[in-house]
Amino acid sequence: MIDLHCHILPGVDDGPDDLEGSLAMAREHVARGVRTVVATPHVSWDYRTTADEIAHAVDALGDALREEGIPLTVLPGAEVALTRAVDLTREELAALTLAGGRWLLLEAPIAVDAPGLEGMIGMVQGRGVRVLLAHPERCAGFHGDPELLGRLVRGGCLGQVTASALTGAFGRTVEAAARRYVELGWVHVASSDSHDAVGRAPGLDGPVVAAGYEALAGWLTDAVPTALLAGDPPPERPAFTARRAKRRFGFRR
């Protein structure tokens, strides 16, 4: 499997503080069947991480993984806050894409319903990158406008769900949104968004299968991530029948 959203670099953002923490995360990834991760440290007004800093940190971690014999490939990327992305140039955004490709992992504001969200995302798209939206199930702007993600997907964006959100790691409201987005076809990638080896730990297909989406697990965690890293369009989603949603999740199919 391939994890396109992971805070594995040491001492860069709110991920592990040191190399030992990064190596512990890497071991967890491998134990859970992940062969490649894209390191996506925050690029925001709080974390003004640069593409050069990310590249150097990825190289250093790769050297350490080889020395430790841990069979995990780490590629450069970033999780770029929307409010920061609109202030970056075309060249700066291109330097922060997933593995230097065409796709940018873009984070909408989580805690606030930012006005003009759709227009701001359009501005970023207009600067020559394709947008993979990080965990929309956790963002207030998407909760306030239930059809927003669908419109953005029809406009060329893809959606990335945090796998553990599907099994309630972020509460029932987020779980309900995550499941709804999967079942409506607005999610294309499941990632861990892991920050450490224990509390926000790696894990991809386990939560997806536990949530009842086993038929989509390989597509969400391997087929689509592989295509995005290769610069190809996402493969067609497998045939899928959603299980009946429980009333407590707060939505109907």
Side-chain angles (χ1 to χ4, degrees), residues 18-164:
D18 53 33
L19 179 59
E20 287 307 312
S22 296
L23 294 176
M25 285 183 67
R27 293 186 181 98
E28 279 296 309
H29 276 295
V30 171
R32 299 182 189 213
V34 175
R35 65 178 184 272
T36 301
V37 301
V38 180
T40 54
H42 291 289
V43 174
S44 65
W45 293 110
D46 291 326
Y47 297 102
R48 302 196 182 198
T49 320
T50 68
D52 285 342
E53 290 170 340
I54 295 167
H56 289 311
V58 167
D59 288 344
L61 180 56
D63 291 341
L65 292 171
R66 285 186 288 274
E67 290 176 6
E68 293 292 322
I70 301 173
L72 183 72
T73 298
V74 179
L75 302 173
E79 181 184 10
V80 185
L82 176 58
T83 54
R84 185 77 175 98
V86 295
D87 195 57
L88 298 176
T89 67
R90 176 184 293 260
E91 292 73 23
E92 289 169 325
L93 289 172
L96 295 168
T97 57
L98 300 175
R102 306 171 70 182
W103 290 91
L104 182 79
L105 184 66
L106 185 68
E107 180 184 37
I110 291 179
V112 296
D113 187 358
L117 191 66
E118 198 166 356
M120 293 169 71
I121 291 172
M123 288 175 58
V124 175
Q125 289 177 297
R127 293 177 187 168
V129 295
R130 295 188 173 182
V131 170
L132 176 64
L133 291 163
H135 48 61
E137 74 279 1
R138 294 177 56 202
C139 297
F142 292 95
H143 295 170
D145 183 350
E147 299 302 316
L148 173 58
L149 183 57
R151 295 196 301 272
L152 291 170
V153 167
R154 290 190 291 274
C157 293
L158 299 183
Q160 173 260 304
V161 72
T162 300
S164 61

Side-chain angles (χ1 to χ4, degrees), residues 192-216:
S192 74
D193 192 11
S194 53
H195 285 63
D196 55 50
V198 180
R200 293 280 300 275
L204 293 183
D205 62 340
V208 174
V209 172
Y213 304 127
E214 184 173 3
L216 298 178

